Amino acid sequence: MTPDFVKTAPIQDLLDRASGLTAQNGNSRLQAIMRDLLESLMTLIVKHDMSESEFWQGVAFLQQGAGEFGLIVPGVGIEHFLDLYMDQRDVEAGRTGGTPRTIEGPLYVENAPLVENDPNLTDDPDDTDTLYMTGSIAGPDGEPVKNAILHVWHANSKGFYSHFDPTGEQTPFNNRRRIKLGDDGHYSFRSKMPRGYSVPPGGSTERLMQALGRHGNRPAHVHFFVEAPGYRTLTTQINFGDDPFAKDDFAFGTREGLLPVPNRQGDSTYIAFDFVLQKADKAADERFSARTRANA
Ligand code: BEZ
Ligand code: FE
């Protein structure tokens, strides 16, 4: 079958009708995107000469894996692609500089305790080293960013996040805080050292990774949102530069400039990391994306 099959009149007519383009109502942007999505899928079926069995196996995988879409999307590089695309649009708009953005991942929880600077993030006992993180939050001209809120979240020493811990052992908001900063743009906190995240054993993401000849591991890391009046909200994370998966993150979240090597001294580990924000061009820049997030 030639790929031109999709371009034949009956298939093009089917696409127009299936996407609602010939309907009187409906959301025109959605109709246009749906038409292209369906046409891409049909083109894929023809290009790979997919059998009916293969197609329905794919549908079953998506059905079974729906609960893990938040892991599968970064695992196949699409969340990182969105970052690269936003970077490219920024370059085209002349908006460069600042700490690189990188993936949020699916494990943020809204409404973490709002605390003053220099908090302890870890509520639960965790027999591992203590992490001390410090640094500054500055604007494009090096000015201290005033009244920032630093959202921090990370895994425990088993690689599990509170609210998503399969052992059920962690109390809510363990290793999660929103830290209210002052006028000097300085932050500090301490917590128990995280271990790298691995996808749930036997789950859809792991099965997909195995079938692709890949793994489902991330290096140890700490996530951040940085928000402040007048500045663009930053979504980023640091990955520990000495972790075995530092250069082989299954979720493609590690980026140049975001890989500090922890300074390990006995039971204490120190990381100094400075954030640089871009100025907000418009009110929307100060807001979070409309992504649906867990809410406790
Ligand atoms: C994480 O940040 O821990 C994460 C990111 C993507 C997929 C799974 C986990
Ligand atoms: Fe994470």
Side-chain angles (χ1 to χ4, degrees):
M1 188 70 68
T2 75
D4 292 347
F5 174 66
V6 174
K7 293 290 182 196
T8 60
I11 304 298
Q12 292 295 308
D13 178 63
L14 172 62
L15 281 167
D16 287 343
R17 289 192 291 138
S19 60
L21 274 177
T22 53
Q24 300 303 314
N25 304 308
N27 177 323
S28 58
R29 181 164 167 79
L30 177 63
Q31 288 164 341
I33 292 171
M34 181 60 79
R35 194 190 190 287
D36 284 351
L37 177 70
L38 295 174
E39 186 165 27
S40 301
L41 181 58
M42 291 172 182
T43 305
L44 202 71
I45 291 169
V46 173
K47 178 176 176 189
H48 294 280
D49 193 19
M50 239 182 253
S51 69
E52 188 193 346
S53 297
E54 283 176 323
F55 179 81
W56 286 110
Q57 269 180 288
V59 172
F61 174 80
L62 294 176
Q63 283 176 319
Q64 287 158 13
E68 290 194 18
F69 275 179
L71 311 181
I72 293 171
V73 169
V76 295
I78 297 297
E79 194 167 349
H80 180 52
F81 172 80
L82 291 176
D83 283 337
L84 297 175
Y85 183 50
M86 286 188 277
D87 288 354
Q88 178 61 24
R89 287 192 350 196
D90 281 354
V91 167
E92 285 167 18
R95 304 187 79 184
T96 53
T99 303
R101 57 163 64 88
T102 194
I103 65 164
E104 173 181 331
L107 302 169
Y108 177 76
V109 180
E110 289 176 339
N111 300 320
L114 185 61
V115 296
E116 298 289 318
N117 201 11
D118 202 28
N120 172 20
L121 312 190
T122 307
D123 301 312
D124 296 340
D126 200 344
D127 188 14
T128 188
D129 296 348
T130 301
L131 167 66
Y132 295 89
M133 251 195 99
T134 55
S136 61
I137 301 179
D141 300 320
E143 75 280 12
V145 167
K146 294 182 179 162
N147 302 321
I149 296 180
L150 182 67
H151 302 235
V152 189
W153 70 106
H154 68 69
N156 67 6
S157 67
K158 294 178 180 152
F160 296 140
Y161 284 80
S162 56
H163 302 261
F164 301 94
D165 187 335
T167 69
E169 275 170 16
Q170 294 187 62
T171 53
F173 296 113
N174 188 43
N175 295 323
R176 299 178 183 276
R177 291 292 185 275
R178 289 175 296 154
I179 308 174
K180 221 157 108 50
L181 305 180
D183 282 354
D184 64 357
H186 176 267
Y187 78 88
S188 62
F189 64 83
R190 70 180 192 284
S191 63
K192 286 295 179 178
M193 281 289 274
R195 205 184 76 185
Y197 173 92
S198 302
V199 295
S204 298
T205 316
E206 189 183 68
R207 286 191 290 117
L208 177 62
M209 290 298 129
Q210 279 173 355
L212 294 173
R214 297 182 48 206
H215 64 75
N217 301 302
R218 302 208 62 210
H221 60 277
V222 180
H223 294 265
F224 304 96
F225 288 136
V226 196
E227 56 168 331
Y231 292 87
R232 195 178 197 191
T233 295
L234 172 70
T235 303
T236 194
Q237 60 182 267
I238 53 153
N239 287 263
F240 296 177
D242 59 359
D243 189 288
F245 291 104
K247 297 264 157 61
D248 188 22
D249 174 5
F250 102 99
F252 306 95
T254 52
R255 299 195 82 173
E256 211 55 52
L258 299 176
L259 278 165
V261 176
N263 173 3
R264 298 173 194 267
Q265 295 184 16
D267 293 348
S268 301
T269 297
Y270 301 89
I271 298 179
F273 189 83
D274 295 334
F275 297 91
V276 178
L277 302 185
Q278 293 180 352
K279 285 271 193 197
D281 276 357
K282 50 191 179 311
D285 286 345
E286 294 183 38
R287 292 199 287 270
F288 287 66
S289 75
R291 178 175 183 157
T292 301
R293 299 181 172 89
N295 192 324

